[in-house]
Amino acid sequence: MKRLWPPFFCGAAVLLLFLPDRAGAFYTAGDDMYLLELRCTFNGGIGYARYPEDNFIYADSDEVLWSSDLRLLIDAAAGDSFRAEADIVQNIGSTPAFILPGSRAAALEVERSSVFFRQQHETGDVRAGLFLDSGSFSLGSPSGELIFGRQPINLSVTFYFTPNDFFAPFAPQNFYRQYKPGVDALRFEKRLADLTQFTLLTVLGYDEDPDSDSGWSREPNWHRTSLLGRITHIAGDYELGFFGGTLTEQVVVGASLQGDLFQWLGVRAEGNYRETWKDDLPDGLQLSIGLEHRFSPLMIGRLEQMHNGTGYASIREADEALRAGILHPGFLGRDYTAVDLSYEFTPLLTGEFLFLRNWTDSSQSLSVYGLYSLSDESELALTVTLPLGDEPDFVSLNSEFGVLPARFTLEYRHYF
């Protein structure tokens, strides 16, 4: 097991735990012509991972790890037409088995330029990195806006299976989604009518570069650049969306819908069809449909079903792709179900239960999330995720969720 609590991390956590509450930004300046606000977030956590036995994937049977980050949020505006935002993260932690939002491990998974990533330290036990998670400028008016720079992009309307979230999507078991990683993009928003919006997106793509600090190249690969156009329209109680374009060496078309049925049942649906010109990327239809209902002011239930036409028809097909070195990223199976129930036990304590099932290999995942508010500006979160499925061996993956470790994570967050 790796060393758990370095002195600086323990001291920082104790110090922030007893800081007096502070509302809003810690620094604000401005007048009628300009505004500047600075905010910070501290996020620290420890986790325990229990790996499947007799497998060829993990070196250890279990591991205790930690991660912490300090996030500086900058928001500036000049007049009514110019705005600038930045999200700078200083992360330090052990080699992670779990990924905290904003952590170094999460940053390494995002395809974006390595120019704004600096690895400060790396040994067998500890890693530290400073990076720009997002930073963008926007120019516009009430009828249109141009945003350029590193920014979060999301075309999805569902919660757990999000086929239309193409750039740095959250995992279904990630309950904390306050900060979505940004990608290098140019976005144009135009209001065509009171209830109709047009969006044009250009997102730069990069090649993998093991010699860089972030694992991605500094310069973009223009062949991997994505260009998407989208139109959304509100009709009655529903928002309809349609999009199409190129997506990292694929052609994609898709749609989305969200709204309320009889003011009683929330309905969300999205999907896309992709066709690729690369042999190691799959073609197919991805479709996710979700229903949600508020049973009481304290309890919300959600049900989602996804068909993943780009997945494998059996775990045997996934094994063959793995042996050939062309196992594609994302969900491995064809059909999935998610059931989620959240309940507010007290004004300070909220609990959430998430069940996932892969119908292709019958593997499952159970996650429990508890969030306790320590003060107006701090909270404590506990996440437990238990995979249920055939564990991998030296011959086969056997199941998708069975490959994952059992995880226990405790996080402390402070906003100031």
Side-chain angles (χ1 to χ4, degrees), residues 226-343:
S226 302
L227 179 62
L228 297 170
R230 184 193 191 202
I231 291 180
T232 57
H233 177 71
I234 298 177
D237 294 331
Y238 293 91
E239 179 194 83
L240 306 174
F242 304 91
F243 67 87
T246 60
L247 176 70
T248 55
E249 301 176 290
Q250 301 173 90
V251 176
V252 60
V253 293
S256 63
L257 177 148
Q258 62 177 330
D260 293 319
L261 183 63
F262 307 122
Q263 303 296 318
W264 182 84
L265 185 67
V267 179
R268 299 172 182 269
E270 66 179 70
N272 65 77
Y273 181 83
R274 308 184 194 188
E275 184 171 333
T276 179
W277 53 82
K278 290 194 66 178
D279 295 336
D280 58 346
L281 292 176
D283 300 335
L285 173 69
Q286 292 184 321
L287 178 64
S288 179
I289 300 175
L291 304 175
E292 61 182 86
H293 175 65
R294 183 178 289 273
F295 295 96
S296 72
L298 304 178
M299 185 168 65
I300 301 175
R302 293 189 178 98
L303 171 67
E304 281 189 13
Q305 182 72 30
M306 182 179 75
H307 173 69
N308 179 31
T310 62
Y312 300 100
S314 66
I315 199 66
R316 179 178 299 178
E317 286 189 5
D319 289 335
E320 293 174 354
L322 179 63
R323 284 192 288 268
I326 56 173
L327 186 71
H328 63 72
F331 292 99
L332 298 182
R334 289 287 179 89
D335 296 289
Y336 293 83
T337 297
V339 179
D340 180 86
L341 187 66
S342 63
Y343 187 79

Side-chain angles (χ1 to χ4, degrees), residues 10-52:
C10 184
V14 173
L15 176 63
L16 288 169
L17 186 63
F18 292 101
L19 279 175
D21 294 345
R22 307 171 80 184
F26 72 84
Y27 177 80
T28 302
D31 53 25
D32 295 337
M33 298 298 297
Y34 79 97
L35 174 67
L36 175 63
E37 291 186 342
L38 304 180
R39 294 180 173 85
C40 275
T41 298
F42 172 80
N43 187 353
I46 58 174
Y48 172 76
R50 179 73 180 182
Y51 302 113

